[in-house]
Amino acid sequence: MPLSNLTQFDRRKFLKTTAATAVAAALPLSAASAAPKRGGHFRMGKAHGQTSDTLDPGTSENGFTSALNHGVHGRLTEVAQDGTLRPEVAESWEASADASEYRFKIRKGLTFHNGKDVTVEDVIASINHHRGEDSTSAAGPIVAPIKEITADGTDTVVFKLDGGNADFPFILSDFHLAICPADGDKMNWRDGIGCGSYAMKNFDPGVSATFERNPNHWNDSVGWFDSIEMISLVDQNARTTALVSGDVDAVDRVDLKTAGLLGRKPGVVIQSVAGTQHYTFAMSSNQDPFTDNHVRQALKYAVNREEMVEKILFGYGSIGNDHPVGPGQRYFNSELAQKTYDPEKAKWHLQQAGLDNLSVSLSGSDAAFVGSVDAITLYQNSAKGCGIDLQPVREPNDGYWSDVWMKKPFSAVYWAGRPVEDQMFATAYSCGAPWNDSFWCNERFEELMVTARAELDDDKRREMYWEMQDIVSNNGGVIVPMFANYVFALNDKVGHGELGSNWDLDGERWMERWWFK
């Protein structure tokens, strides 16, 4: 089968990934982007972490474990700060002409933290951890197209897919797809050993984790701190106080209503980076009253999106249209009618559902997103004019993702988005996907998702993704009222380059990319 070098294909043809890339803050050539130097102990305050967290990368579901995976583990590929794709554990890759077979050459001399060489067997066992009916991995849907993984010699892993997939190398950058040591034909994630730029020294779920620089990491242009402590500070006030008092060097998810004031404090720098992060309200479409799409549509028209962006995001974001594709992504449907607050349409949809009014409860917590309960209160007020009695439920922060999300029928959620449309759709909207938090299934959507994934003609692919966005927006079980910038704060001693925008905190690569000035 003829092979072509995908590295050239993706750069020329389609890998200009997200809105984030286009609008990410470009930093001046100042002290923030001065030449990095090694040394120091860095402390990060994260608005995530719960006592139920584990080291299994397949079940990682919040920013704390995501950051841990990025620092400790390597993946075959990495999304760079500018949104392009570059090699990591793999030093190169090639694709067949129809993009149904990929050959990844594993980097020579790469070792795990315990000194063991990284082998093709480790790669195969690590990816297989997410495959199969018994897997509990959230990455299961995005690796489902893999039919077979084999080794070709000692340095090449061959992936055979069930059809063409032009985005496959991007998919392998997902933080769940960490490369861990093999134990037989299984992946050993329990020991927390990786091949990343930092070795984990301690992990106390829901509390903290500590790391030390990996002196044998293959890339000497990352990993500047000697050691790192990451602390779970879900409470907004505790996180802000820790930064201002100097107990931590950086925090994520800044309180947007006080971001301007915080940024005026000596020694504090606020960063705002636009990307694919979006906040949602997920309805369990397999439970009444959400089984009726007219009810779902009524709830979508009952949201005052502009008010939420103004009062919850304080301008650090933009309105959403009930699908997860951001305005700057390749296949964003620019012609899809934007939903607005419309009490008459909401009432009409209720009538079509045979209802004069509707009573529902909506769960939220700062663990979902900061201000989510306030957002639900705004929603409650706007819904009153639509004949909808919406009751906010404030849930505990700890255990929100294990006890509330996908357990309660209507809940607030944050999504960081994904670099490519197929990955986001497969993760959260595909029928039966572990993270399909609306439990929604649509036959036409499934058909389009599979077909679009294999389509190499850009115009045809765009047409299919446009239809998928329409289906999700007007039939799906998720309300997407707003896209939120990544807003975080650090002290002015921290240096960094251009900030990645595929995830929060520099693509969650802050461990290896930042330094002390």
Side-chain angles (χ1 to χ4, degrees):
M1 184 177 293
L3 298 171
S4 58
N5 189 313
L6 185 66
T7 303
Q8 295 301 317
F9 172 66
D10 61 16
R11 288 178 180 168
R12 289 198 305 260
K13 195 160 184 177
F14 70 94
L15 296 183
K16 294 181 180 179
T17 56
T18 63
T21 304
V23 294
L27 300 174
L29 293 176
S30 62
S33 54
K37 61 180 182 179
R38 301 202 187 279
H41 177 69
F42 182 81
R43 300 154 302 170
M44 170 64 75
K46 291 285 284 185
H48 319 259
Q50 53 188 12
T51 53
S52 58
D53 288 341
T54 77
L55 293 176
D56 181 353
T59 60
S60 177
E61 61 186 6
N62 60 58
F64 192 99
T65 49
S66 169
L68 184 153
N69 283 333
H70 277 105
V72 172
H73 300 294
R75 281 140 298 278
L76 288 172
T77 60
E78 173 191 357
V79 177
Q81 289 98 319
D82 64 359
T84 59
L85 197 67
R86 62 189 180 195
E88 192 177 4
V89 170
E91 64 178 24
S92 63
W93 60 88
E94 295 179 326
S96 63
D98 63 355
S100 67
E101 180 177 314
Y102 286 83
R103 300 173 63 85
F104 285 80
K105 189 173 183 181
I106 307 307
R107 191 175 299 279
K108 290 183 174 64
L110 194 61
T111 60
F112 289 109
H113 300 145
N114 60 1
K116 176 188 175 299
D117 288 338
V118 177
T119 67
V120 292
E121 288 77 19
D122 298 316
V123 172
I124 293 171
S126 295
I127 302 301
N128 278 339
H129 176 72
H130 309 275
R131 301 176 65 217
E133 294 181 0
D134 296 334
S135 175
T136 59
S137 172
I142 64 174
V143 298
I146 300 173
K147 287 197 306 183
E148 183 181 25
I149 312 176
T150 57
D152 183 3
T154 60
D155 67 350
T156 301
V157 178
V158 182
F159 294 88
K160 293 183 179 180
L161 312 181
D162 59 9
N165 190 337
D167 295 331
F168 186 67
F170 257 99
I171 287 170
L172 294 177
S173 71
D174 189 274
F175 68 90
H176 297 98
L177 303 181
I179 305 304
C180 298
D183 183 3
D185 61 353
K186 302 293 184 182
M187 181 179 78
N188 176 10
W189 54 265
R190 290 176 175 81
D191 292 341
I193 294 172
C195 58
S197 52
Y198 283 87
M200 189 178 64
K201 307 307 292 183
N202 181 68
F203 173 54
D204 188 355
V207 180
S208 66
T210 57
F211 313 86
E212 289 183 359
R213 182 197 299 131
N214 173 15
N216 300 316
H217 191 251
W218 65 273
N219 187 354
D220 60 7
S221 65
V222 300
W224 304 103
F225 303 118
D226 289 335
S227 57
I228 293 172
E229 181 179 13
M230 182 166 58
I231 306 164
S232 177
L233 295 172
V234 178
D235 181 77
Q236 177 71 70
N237 291 330
R239 206 161 56 252
T240 304
T241 300
L243 177 71
V244 172
S245 66
D247 290 332
V248 297
D249 300 297
V251 297
D252 63 349
R253 300 176 77 178
V254 166
D255 185 352
L256 300 181
K257 64 179 176 289
T258 61
L261 181 64
L262 179 63
R264 289 197 290 272
K265 290 187 177 295
V268 175
V269 178
I270 301 293
Q271 297 289 348
S272 176
V273 182
T276 55
Q277 178 176 235
H278 51 283
Y279 296 157
T280 77
F281 301 124
M283 302 172 277
S284 296
S285 58
N286 61 347
Q287 295 186 42
D288 290 331
F290 308 114
T291 54
D292 192 318
N293 188 46
H294 283 294
V295 170
R296 302 197 295 266
Q297 286 285 76
L299 286 162
K300 291 174 182 179
Y301 282 110
V303 179
N304 190 326
R305 299 159 197 266
E306 291 82 358
E307 183 182 41
M308 280 198 185
V309 171
E310 177 187 351
K311 295 182 178 179
I312 302 302
L313 300 183
F314 295 87
Y316 292 101
S318 59
I319 60 173
N321 201 21
D322 302 328
H323 65 76
V325 180
Q329 290 188 267
R330 287 175 293 158
Y331 303 120
F332 173 75
N333 187 341
S334 58
E335 297 180 5
L336 181 63
Q338 173 65 55
K339 283 193 182 67
T340 59
Y341 177 55
D342 192 329
E344 294 308 311
K345 281 189 177 180
K347 291 176 182 177
W348 182 85
H349 280 290
L350 286 183
Q351 291 171 359
Q352 299 308 302
L355 300 172
D356 294 325
N357 53 66
L358 176 68
S359 295
V360 292
S361 296
L362 176 52
S363 295
S365 162
D366 279 353
F369 59 85
V370 174
S372 70
V373 178
D374 291 337
I376 295 169
T377 301
L378 289 178
Y379 192 2
Q380 178 188 38
N381 293 334
S382 65
K384 285 178 183 176
C386 305
I388 299 172
D389 176 23
L390 190 150
Q391 292 298 317
V393 179
R394 182 182 292 275
E395 304 282 1
N397 288 329
D398 187 44
Y400 184 84
W401 298 110
S402 57
D403 300 332
V404 178
W405 180 56
M406 299 187 70
K407 301 293 193 301
K408 300 291 181 72
F410 201 11
S411 63
V413 190
Y414 84 92
W415 282 94
R418 296 295 187 270
V420 292
E421 291 83 349
D422 178 69
Q423 189 178 6
M424 187 67 219
F425 282 141
T427 299
Y429 294 84
S430 179
C431 186
W435 282 7
N436 179 342
D437 52 15
S438 66
F439 303 92
W440 176 73
C441 290
N442 182 279
E443 185 175 347
R444 175 61 177 165
F445 178 86
E446 297 296 319
E447 175 189 339
L448 285 167
M449 185 173 63
V450 173
T451 306
R453 180 182 295 148
E455 180 56 64
L456 301 181
D457 183 289
D458 207 50
D459 290 336
K460 293 179 180 178
R461 210 169 184 221
R462 178 176 295 102
E463 183 179 339
M464 286 183 276
Y465 281 121
W466 277 36
E467 184 180 347
M468 291 167 74
Q469 289 166 67
D470 192 337
I471 293 171
V472 169
S473 178
N474 291 304
N475 185 272
V478 177
I479 302 168
V480 185
M482 50 189 167
F483 276 71
N485 289 6
Y486 297 117
V487 183
F488 51 94
L490 45 155
N491 69 43
D492 60 6
K493 300 181 180 65
V494 179
H496 55 82
E498 178 184 356
L499 294 169
S501 53
N502 56 306
W503 294 98
D504 200 358
L505 290 166
D506 204 355
E508 284 294 8
R509 294 277 186 162
W510 52 271
M511 280 198 202
E512 59 184 23
R513 292 177 180 171
W514 296 0
W515 63 87
F516 284 126
K517 299 173 188 173

